Amino acid sequence: MTQDMKVIVFQIKDKEYAIPVDKVSGIEKLLHITRVPKAALFVKGVINLRGVITPIIDLRVRFGFEEVEYDGSTRIIIVILDDMEVGLIVDSANDVLDIPVDSIEPQPEVVGHVASEYISGVAKIEKRLLVLINLEKALSLELTENILREG
């Protein structure tokens, strides 16, 4: 029997990305973000989410894409890494899928502009190509912890 990996699928620009459901604690509509002085460009600030101060990172900017106005489909995916919640701003989040683990291939050298270090693999599901994000590397926790210390 093939093992499946359950993922949340989200969009940035015209590509689909995926992160494992077990790392996600929720998906929120855009909330008021409080700016943090001296934060990296892709760090939009922090939100107070049910009493937890949560740093917010714009994945579009983190991956080197141009910033766009947020709209009605913009979402914040709340992920948990090392017991810390971090919010990821994405263009939209709309699917939960089961990906057969054996359909995941190692990442190619470059996928669009996203540095291969942020990618853990690529899955082909029917006609879709899903880029699996390596959250630990994409978020580089030292950086996120610094935000909170200074903020």
Side-chain angles (χ1 to χ4, degrees):
M1 189 177 102
T2 307
Q3 197 166 3
D4 282 352
M5 177 168 129
K6 197 175 269 309
V7 297
I8 301 250
V9 177
F10 59 92
Q11 271 77 31
I12 297 177
K13 279 185 90 166
D14 50 1
K15 296 226 177 333
E16 289 191 302
Y17 298 88
I19 48 180
V21 163
D22 60 6
K23 300 247 192 238
V24 175
S25 73
I27 298 176
E28 307 287 333
K29 288 192 158 140
L30 208 53
L31 303 162
H32 174 72
I33 299 171
T34 304
R35 304 276 311 158
V36 177
K38 297 195 208 99
L41 281 175
F42 58 84
V43 177
K44 291 299 156 194
V46 294
I47 60 172
N48 182 342
L49 186 64
R50 295 181 277 283
V52 177
I53 300 303
T54 306
I56 301 298
I57 290 174
D58 189 325
L59 270 191
R60 188 180 250 279
V61 179
R62 178 66 169 144
F63 290 166
F65 299 129
E66 75 285 354
E67 276 191 79
V68 294
E69 286 285 317
Y70 301 141
D71 62 24
S73 60
T74 303
R75 292 290 177 268
I76 299 176
I77 300 177
I78 307 296
V79 297
I80 300 170
L81 270 185
D82 295 339
D83 298 328
M84 190 170 106
E85 288 195 348
V86 179
L88 308 175
I89 298 177
V90 300
D91 293 352
S92 65
N94 48 10
D95 264 346
V96 176
L97 283 182
D98 289 313
I99 299 177
V101 172
D102 57 13
S103 75
I104 299 172
E105 299 171 13
Q107 86 269 22
E109 286 306 302
V110 184
V111 178
H113 292 298
V114 179
S116 58
E117 66 192 270
Y118 300 152
I119 296 168
S120 59
V122 178
K124 292 185 181 103
I125 308 293
E126 290 147 27
K127 292 187 163 86
R128 298 164 79 174
L129 187 66
L130 302 177
V131 178
L132 303 172
I133 300 296
N134 179 328
L135 285 174
E136 288 78 6
K137 292 203 173 127
L139 300 185
S140 79
L141 283 178
E142 316 76 62
L143 179 103
T144 314
E145 286 163 3
N146 288 343
I147 300 162
L148 289 179
R149 239 178 267 119
E150 291 170 13

